[in-house]
Amino acid sequence: MRFFHHFFAGVERPEPVVIPRVLVITILVLWIGVMIIIMTFSKQLSSQKNPMLLARIAALILLFDQIVLYSWQILSGYFNFQFSLPLYHCRIAVPLLILDLVFGVKILRSIWIYWCFLGSIFSMAFMDLYRFDFPHYTNFQFFIVHLMIGWLVFYAVFALGYEFEVKGLRLALIVTTLFNLGLIFFNAVLNHSFIAQEGSLYNYGYMLFPPGPLKGVTLSFPPFIFNLIMLVGYNLLIILLYLGGRSLNKISVRHKELRTEAVKA
């Protein structure tokens, strides 16, 4: 019972969680390694009787996680309006992914493809965990979610045949810009100011300042400069992902052609 209370505790410690370097490297190798495996075995994955099955199972795992996550936050008393609302890109992307892969709302695929990959990349770069001592549910939840959403992007491209097209790019750019503008106004209303300050409590989407040591640097920027950087930066990143995605589409097609030639030979 004591383990259960600790595993689902609701009071964070003041210090950030320090992840051992060996564990960081292991997680990054796992993250990239599974993506390489998906690319390597794209022909086998796409030629399954039901290639959607694995994606749906992964999405159901994420759905279960979302239920557990918000149940824990509410029941433990952790839930708060400063940090717990689903107003980060990856927090929105996961439900969109679930709606697509579990419930068949395919119109959302272009949005979650871009947001999930951005969320997976940023989370692996910063690894900004909840401040709970190991072992805690969130120690595992952070990595399960952010690893899986990255893998599912590759699975969608190499197994489900998702193609990066201008139509999907345009939709992602429009939705992302509107969402980011909404976050800027939302943070400003709750902080009672558009100007980022050291004591600003609401920073959804990291639209006021980034996490970690970069916060102090950006707080020295003139007003609205960081907002502009984030608005433009997100769109540039999405365009870069589009270009990279086009390359992944070409790799996927080439892999399938090589496999077909090998079978014929």
Side-chain angles (χ1 to χ4, degrees), residues 22-69:
V22 173
L23 181 57
V24 170
I25 294 172
T26 301
I27 291 169
L28 290 175
V29 169
L30 176 65
W31 180 57
I32 296 171
V34 172
M35 292 178 180
I36 293 173
I37 291 172
I38 292 171
M39 291 172 60
T40 304
F41 295 97
S42 59
K43 177 68 174 180
Q44 293 90 329
L45 291 170
S46 61
S47 61
Q48 297 175 89
K49 184 177 180 180
N50 182 8
M52 181 63 78
L53 180 61
L54 286 177
R56 186 167 289 121
I57 290 172
L60 285 170
I61 292 172
L62 291 174
L63 174 59
F64 177 75
D65 167 75
Q66 292 296 289
I67 294 171
V68 174
L69 175 66

Side-chain angles (χ1 to χ4, degrees), residues 195-196 208-210 214-230:
I195 310 301
L208 270 183
F209 44 76
L214 293 176
K215 175 182 176 179
V217 176
T218 57
L219 285 175
S220 65
F221 289 176
F224 307 113
I225 293 298
F226 185 71
N227 295 144
L228 182 61
I229 290 173
M230 291 297 284

